Amino acid sequence: MSEQVVVNTSEQIPFQGTDLDEQWTSVKTRLRQELGDATYNSWFGHLAMVSMEPGRVTLSVPTKFIRDWLETHYSTQIRKAWAGVDPSVERVDILVTEIRTLEARNNDARANGANGKGSVRPVSAAPAKSFPNPAIRTGNKEFDRSGSSPLDPRYTFDNFVVGKSNELAHAAARRVAEADNVPFNPLFLYGSVGLGKTHLMHAIAQEITRRDPSRKVLYLSADQFMYQFIRAVRYKDTMAFKQKFRTVDVLMVDDVQFISGKESTQEEFFHTFNALIDHNRQVIISADRSPSDLEGIEERIRSRLGWGLSADIHATDYELRLGILQSKAELLARKPGAVHLPEKVLEFLAHKIVSNVRELEGGLNRVVAYADLVGRPVSLEMAQDVLSDLLRANERRITIDDIQRRVAEYYNLRLADLLSARRARVVARPRQVAMYLSKQLTTRSLPEIGRKFGGRDHTTVMHAVRRIEELQLADTTIREDVDMLSRMLEN
Ligand code: ADP
Ligand code: MG
């Protein structure tokens, strides 16, 4: 597990040598002749030469979308074109050159599972051994960041859109990043995958070093903590390990749920953690669930993790999703020759891609890449077309039936009672919660929801939605219920 990153190869690896240059030019000419200008420009315009080894050529493109497209539609032509120019070439690999940290790739892999949809991941599967690690360039010069993972320069506070669901986590993160002393220790950020935990962690790390470059900030995932620890044990180098981890000003460990079950790592983590807290050094942890829900982690650690401030990031709501898309669209619009994104399309995406922010971004990027390639303006039809798989996956995710079942189960009610006309509070409140969740988590209209709840009027549903919104502000039990249910439904 090394800290590999795929970087912008066209800038970093100069491709020289007239021989290869000539070969590459004639390959391109062959492809252009064979496929025609339009197709060539759409799909091959961004193709760049990366390297050549005996029998093997590596090319690169800017997005995974293009890479996948080329691989499924044109791999034979590309290989033939090369073989025509240099018969020794047997294999042509295509890399994606977007900056992706290992951490982000691990997250993606986990979020998507082993057989998950690969289509939204701008991830390169190709090796990137020879590429420099950007952490070394962007990192803090006075401090050996060798134990630290790369920070994504795009993950800043400025680029983080704040809404109801992440307000607390954002405020706490800012507070920690801007404070001169330690406001709460540890800061524990939690929420399900793709909701911005890593983004906030990187933002904190970058803000702290920006304000005071002399502060030693160590950011890494729990996996990497474990890996470094195990390696230290194996090479009998635990003193150096302890030294490194216990002399930092700020220790940030992302995705701490991954140390569950690993006893010796937990033990070491716990000692490190205690030592830092005792010395008033800031510790920041993230996980996909709250400290008390971390199964497989020792009780004393769980309880200690909850001592500082725990801030959770909830599922996004429509407003936040739209806000995030608008902010991305603004960033995109600044690029020369940018594709225009109609508000209608953004609204459509915010409505339809409810799973998490990573998928939402992935969807937007795909539409933009497609429009750019085919040279047509972005339209609703195009978005529907390009994202059909993603939209289906999101639709499949939550139905009103799922919600009703879950809510009944959660409140220990029979489904029939939940849908009945009974008005007793014990059933009426859960019913309102279920209606509220149906409005938030599905794209069904109020009348459709009403019909699903025993043929009720849409005004009843509207009333329920408002009531639960109000209650969430006033009543922590309701708020927790709603959070818990949304999270269970979204996973
Ligand atoms: P997590 O670590 O919780 O799984 P990430 O921090 O990796 O999630 O977020 C997934 C993607 O969504 C990242 O590209 C991140 O920049 C983006 N993202 C998440 N929340 C926000 C937000 N509130 N504003 C802007 N971008 C966000
Ligand atoms: Mg993460």
Side-chain angles (χ1 to χ4, degrees), residues 16 39 47 52 91 130 150 163 214 216-217 238 242 270 290 302 312 316 369 459 468-469 482:
Q16 285 159 344
T39 305
L47 200 60
M52 182 152 184
R91 185 168 159 183
S130 51
S214 72
K216 300 177 187 173
V217 181
T238 49
K242 285 191 201 321
F270 189 54
S290 74
R302 271 188 279 160
D312 62 339
T316 56
T459 52
I468 298 301
E469 272 171 358
V482 169

Side-chain angles (χ1 to χ4, degrees), residues 317-336:
D317 55 22
Y318 171 75
E319 278 74 31
L320 178 59
R321 288 195 295 274
L322 186 60
I324 290 171
L325 290 171
Q326 284 165 337
S327 113
K328 305 268 167 206
E330 242 169 67
L331 286 179
L332 287 171
R334 287 190 209 149
K335 291 190 185 160

Side-chain angles (χ1 to χ4, degrees), residues 155 159-161 166 194-199 324 357-358 361:
Y155 289 178
N159 289 341
F160 190 82
V161 182
N166 57 27
L195 295 182
K197 300 182 296 294
T198 296
H199 187 136
I324 290 171
V357 183
R358 183 171 300 131
E361 280 186 341

Side-chain angles (χ1 to χ4, degrees), residues 103-104 107 193-194 196-199 201 219 254-255 286 358:
E103 195 280 335
N107 263 353
V193 69
K197 300 182 296 294
T198 296
H199 187 136
M201 298 278 268
Y219 164 85
D254 205 352
D255 285 323
S286 88
R358 183 171 300 131

Side-chain angles (χ1 to χ4, degrees), residues 22-273:
E22 265 166 32
Q23 284 188 14
W24 176 224
T25 309
S26 44
V27 167
K28 287 192 287 190
T29 312
R30 276 172 182 246
L31 286 168
R32 191 186 278 282
Q33 278 165 356
E34 210 173 321
L35 302 165
D37 281 350
T39 305
Y40 181 87
N41 291 339
S42 294
W43 300 105
F44 296 84
H46 299 280
L47 200 60
M49 173 79 191
V50 175
S51 68
M52 182 152 184
E53 290 155 38
R56 179 172 167 181
V57 172
T58 305
L59 307 174
S60 79
V61 290
T63 70
K64 181 172 187 298
F65 184 69
I66 304 180
R67 205 266 311 266
D68 289 352
W69 192 277
L70 287 174
E71 279 187 349
T72 36
H73 296 86
Y74 299 110
S75 59
T76 323
Q77 270 107 327
I78 297 173
R79 223 169 334 117
K80 277 198 190 135
W82 264 107
V85 171
D86 177 351
S88 76
V89 172
E90 289 171 331
R91 185 168 159 183
V92 181
D93 291 330
I94 304 176
L95 284 177
V96 181
T97 50
E98 186 161 341
I99 297 180
R100 296 291 290 176
T101 63
L102 178 70
E103 195 280 335
R105 284 194 274 158
N106 283 344
N107 263 353
D108 282 336
R110 283 186 187 111
N112 288 291
N115 55 353
K117 290 239 167 307
S119 43
V120 296
R121 290 175 289 157
V123 178
S124 166
K129 305 186 210 42
S130 51
F131 305 152
N133 182 339
I136 293 160
R137 284 179 285 112
T138 57
N140 176 355
K141 286 190 193 66
E142 270 118 283
F143 171 50
D144 170 20
R145 286 180 49 93
S146 57
S148 201
S149 298
L151 297 172
D152 190 321
R154 293 168 306 174
Y155 289 178
T156 59
F157 282 119
D158 281 347
N159 289 341
F160 190 82
V161 182
V162 184
K164 265 200 304 227
S165 57
N166 57 27
E167 208 171 18
L168 173 64
H170 171 261
R174 265 235 127 101
R175 187 66 193 282
V176 163
E178 290 166 4
D180 293 325
N181 43 23
V182 175
F184 19 73
N185 221 358
L187 169 60
F188 190 97
L189 299 171
Y190 68 98
S192 62
V193 69
L195 295 182
K197 300 182 296 294
T198 296
H199 187 136
L200 281 179
M201 298 278 268
H202 287 209
I204 296 172
Q206 300 186 85
E207 180 64 18
I208 290 177
T209 30
R210 192 186 67 78
R211 288 173 164 256
D212 181 355
S214 72
R215 284 183 87 189
K216 300 177 187 173
V217 181
L218 192 60
Y219 164 85
L220 77 177
S221 72
D223 273 347
Q224 279 151 356
F225 181 89
M226 188 157 67
Y227 170 74
Q228 294 191 27
F229 173 63
I230 290 168
R231 209 170 50 172
V233 172
R234 180 164 310 146
Y235 297 110
K236 306 203 171 16
D237 199 16
T238 49
M239 281 312 287
F241 177 89
K242 285 191 201 321
Q243 175 73 12
K244 178 163 78 190
F245 279 88
R246 295 186 191 178
T247 54
V248 297
D249 295 307
V250 183
L251 175 67
M252 310 180 75
V253 182
D254 205 352
D255 285 323
V256 83
Q257 72 272 9
F258 293 127
I259 64 165
S260 83
K262 322 275 179 2
E263 270 163 35
S264 60
T265 310
Q266 278 190 36
E267 189 70 24
E268 183 56 33
F269 172 73
F270 189 54
H271 290 313
T272 307
F273 177 89

